[in-house]
Amino acid sequence: MASGFVDKARITVRAGSGGNGVVSFHREKYVAAGGPDGGDGGRGGSIILQVDDNMSTLMDFRYKRKYTAPNGMDGQGKRKFGKNGEDLVIRVPRGTLVRDAETNEIMADMSSSEPFVLCRGGRGGWGNSHFATPTRQVPRFAKAGLPGESHEVILELKLLADVGLVGFPNVGKSTLLSVVTKARPKIANYHFTTLFPNLGVVWVDEGVSFVMADIPGIIEGASEGAGLGHDFLRHVDRCRLLIHVVDVSGCEGRDPVADFDAINEELKRYSPELAERPQIVAANKTDVMEDPALLEALRAHVEALGYPLVQLSAATHQGTRELVGLAAERLSTLPPVAVYEPEYVPKPPALDASAPPEIQHEDGVWLVGGPWIQRLIANVNFSDYESRMWFDRMLREAGLFQRLEEMGIADGDTVSIDGFEFDYQR
């Protein structure tokens, strides 16, 4: 793969942890009513992905692979809340797919300009002012902040192009792109001149334009990893229309019909759905054609398969406007560029409950904490009934309630699990 183009990267991201709540009491001369005034910790910074249209590759992720957002600040006395950690914004090219590295499921398709929260920062812990009640006026406890989410993800760039140019190396794809757009790909008379995809905008008429991508030459065996095509076949995935460029000049002793069938076979092996994508066949290099029979044989072959054929010479611009017009006409009847739906479903945390939870009995409240408790509670939505039932089930399976009963808890006693309070019932 060319050193200047990176279209796949694996990175580790971790959101910031929430700041800790603080235990503090208001003691000030001439102030009659003091009491608890510990502030809450700040929320940890989140990891946010944002599309940047000035980026065209994932090169930035080749050298930096770990991203960590700042933690929230701890709370202070006088009900001063800790400062939230700043969100870390990671910029990616438009068209980047975000996959979970463990399951390979799609988490997000960064095709729109909407930001995506990849990892949420941990919630800040409550200060002791939160726990004051008429019967518990001097709470001497606060809560620690929760850890932020973390993921290992794979970023995969799939170009957002309406039309993809496919074909063997050196058939004239780059020349065609340079003629119909303002893109300036490298052009030379040898194979594999193009080492990374190039994009260009084709202007057809007032208000009518489309994006064309020149995909590096595909060879036989590309779907199994041969040549450069294996690395770049993914960039054809989103293309609504394929322009299949075939060299009909005969200069290299190639058979256009065999070339056409070979490329389609590679597309089919890579993705049967891709092989069914609409195609226009562009018979190129007609200006140096040695045997017109090669062109006619290709025409008969592709038209029998239902594909239209346009003969052209990209080098002399002959036939290029007809090709562009036909492509625009076909695109007007095709659905928009594919956007992948997220498949990822967050997994319940794998809890290591081998270490017993930390239990304290203070001021008539049973305080429950510990690392696995914090990880568990970070995945609970307490406004949702099913989520609360799952939380209850996890606590019972871990033997927490049994341990509380052994320590003498009674019905109606208050249990506080990292800030979530409820009255215990057997």
Side-chain angles (χ1 to χ4, degrees):
M1 187 186 296
S3 60
F5 187 86
V6 178
D7 62 354
K8 203 165 187 179
R10 188 183 185 116
I11 63 172
T12 302
V13 288
R14 180 182 296 278
S17 298
N20 299 324
V22 70
V23 176
S24 172
F25 295 94
H26 193 150
R27 292 188 179 88
E28 190 175 340
K29 195 174 183 182
Y30 308 120
V31 176
D37 67 352
D40 300 348
R43 177 187 56 80
S46 298
I47 303 279
I48 298 174
L49 298 184
Q50 177 70 60
V51 166
D52 185 346
D53 286 321
N54 292 319
M55 296 177 66
S56 57
T57 80
L58 298 174
M59 174 65 81
D60 291 358
F61 304 100
R62 168 172 282 188
Y63 304 107
K64 182 172 171 135
R65 298 181 182 272
K66 292 185 178 180
Y67 295 82
T68 304
N71 296 332
M73 301 287 288
D74 293 345
Q76 300 179 38
K78 299 185 179 179
R79 296 182 187 269
K80 290 181 180 178
F81 288 8
K83 183 180 178 182
N84 292 337
E86 287 189 21
D87 294 337
L88 176 61
V89 178
I90 301 176
R91 302 195 176 276
V92 296
R94 192 177 296 274
T96 301
L97 281 187
V98 185
R99 295 182 181 273
D100 178 66
E102 184 180 348
T103 64
N104 208 39
E105 294 173 330
I106 295 173
M107 301 176 73
D109 182 351
M110 302 302 295
S111 296
S112 71
S113 298
E114 288 293 315
F116 172 69
V117 181
L118 180 57
C119 292
R120 296 192 179 278
R123 196 176 68 229
W126 283 358
N128 67 337
S129 60
H130 265 285
F131 299 99
T133 67
T135 57
R136 186 175 67 237
Q137 297 182 1
V138 190
R140 302 184 184 278
F141 55 89
K143 288 299 176 183
L146 297 180
E149 295 178 349
S150 62
H151 287 293
E152 189 168 7
V153 297
I154 294 171
L155 303 179
E156 183 179 341
L157 179 58
K158 289 178 181 279
L159 296 181
L160 282 173
D162 299 289
V163 175
L165 300 177
V166 297
F168 272 93
N170 204 32
V171 295
K173 300 187 298 297
S174 297
T175 303
L176 177 59
L177 183 73
S178 70
V179 168
V180 299
T181 76
K182 291 186 178 181
R184 292 293 173 262
K186 182 180 179 182
I187 299 171
N189 188 28
Y190 57 85
H191 290 194
F192 297 116
T193 315
T194 303
L195 296 178
F196 53 87
N198 291 295
L199 285 176
V201 178
V202 181
W203 186 87
V204 183
D205 205 345
E206 191 68 37
V208 180
S209 63
F210 57 86
V211 178
M212 178 181 284
D214 168 20
I215 309 300
I218 301 168
I219 64 172
E220 291 176 85
S223 57
E224 276 80 46
L228 295 169
H230 175 71
D231 290 323
F232 298 111
L233 273 168
R234 70 171 66 93
H235 295 299
V236 196
D237 277 353
R238 296 187 196 258
C239 295
R240 300 191 284 155
L241 175 68
L242 302 181
I243 293 181
H244 193 148
V245 185
V246 183
D247 179 357
V248 295
S249 67
C251 295
E252 296 187 11
R254 303 190 67 92
D255 178 0
V257 173
D259 284 359
F260 174 82
D261 288 342
I263 293 296
N264 276 344
E265 181 61 27
E266 290 307 318
L267 293 177
K268 185 176 180 180
R269 287 180 182 174
Y270 175 74
S271 165
E273 180 194 355
L274 190 57
E276 300 297 322
R277 206 68 53 87
Q279 282 189 30
I280 297 174
V281 180
N284 193 26
K285 302 189 181 181
T286 55
D287 57 318
V288 291
M289 186 166 55
E290 298 176 351
D291 184 0
L294 293 175
L295 171 61
E296 295 311 314
L298 178 64
R299 186 191 304 276
H301 182 66
V302 302
E303 289 182 351
L305 296 172
Y307 299 125
L309 181 139
V310 177
Q311 61 185 74
L312 62 102
S313 167
T316 63
H317 299 198
Q318 178 188 351
T320 55
R321 292 312 301 170
E322 290 85 346
L323 177 64
V324 165
L326 180 58
E329 181 185 326
R330 286 296 175 92
L331 287 172
S332 66
T333 64
L334 296 175
V337 174
V339 175
Y340 294 85
E341 291 296 324
E343 308 165 337
Y344 178 75
V345 177
K347 306 293 186 296
L351 299 176
D352 178 12
S354 56
E358 302 162 5
I359 301 176
Q360 295 175 281
H361 190 202
E362 291 188 16
D363 299 333
V365 179
W366 295 85
L367 304 173
V368 182
W372 70 268
I373 290 280
Q374 284 191 342
R375 189 170 179 199
L376 175 66
I377 207 168
N379 291 271
V380 178
N381 175 10
F382 288 107
S383 62
D384 178 69
Y385 176 78
E386 289 188 5
S387 187
R388 293 198 307 271
M389 291 302 99
W390 175 80
F391 179 56
D392 180 87
R393 188 171 69 254
M394 291 295 103
L395 294 178
R396 291 187 185 281
E397 289 178 1
L400 173 65
F401 294 148
Q402 180 179 348
R403 188 162 170 224
L404 284 170
E405 289 170 6
E406 290 171 356
M407 294 178 68
I409 193 171
D411 283 354
D413 283 1
T414 300
V415 179
S416 177
I417 301 180
D418 212 76
F420 174 66
E421 291 193 0
F422 60 93
D423 291 335
Y424 180 76
Q425 298 292 333
R426 293 180 188 274

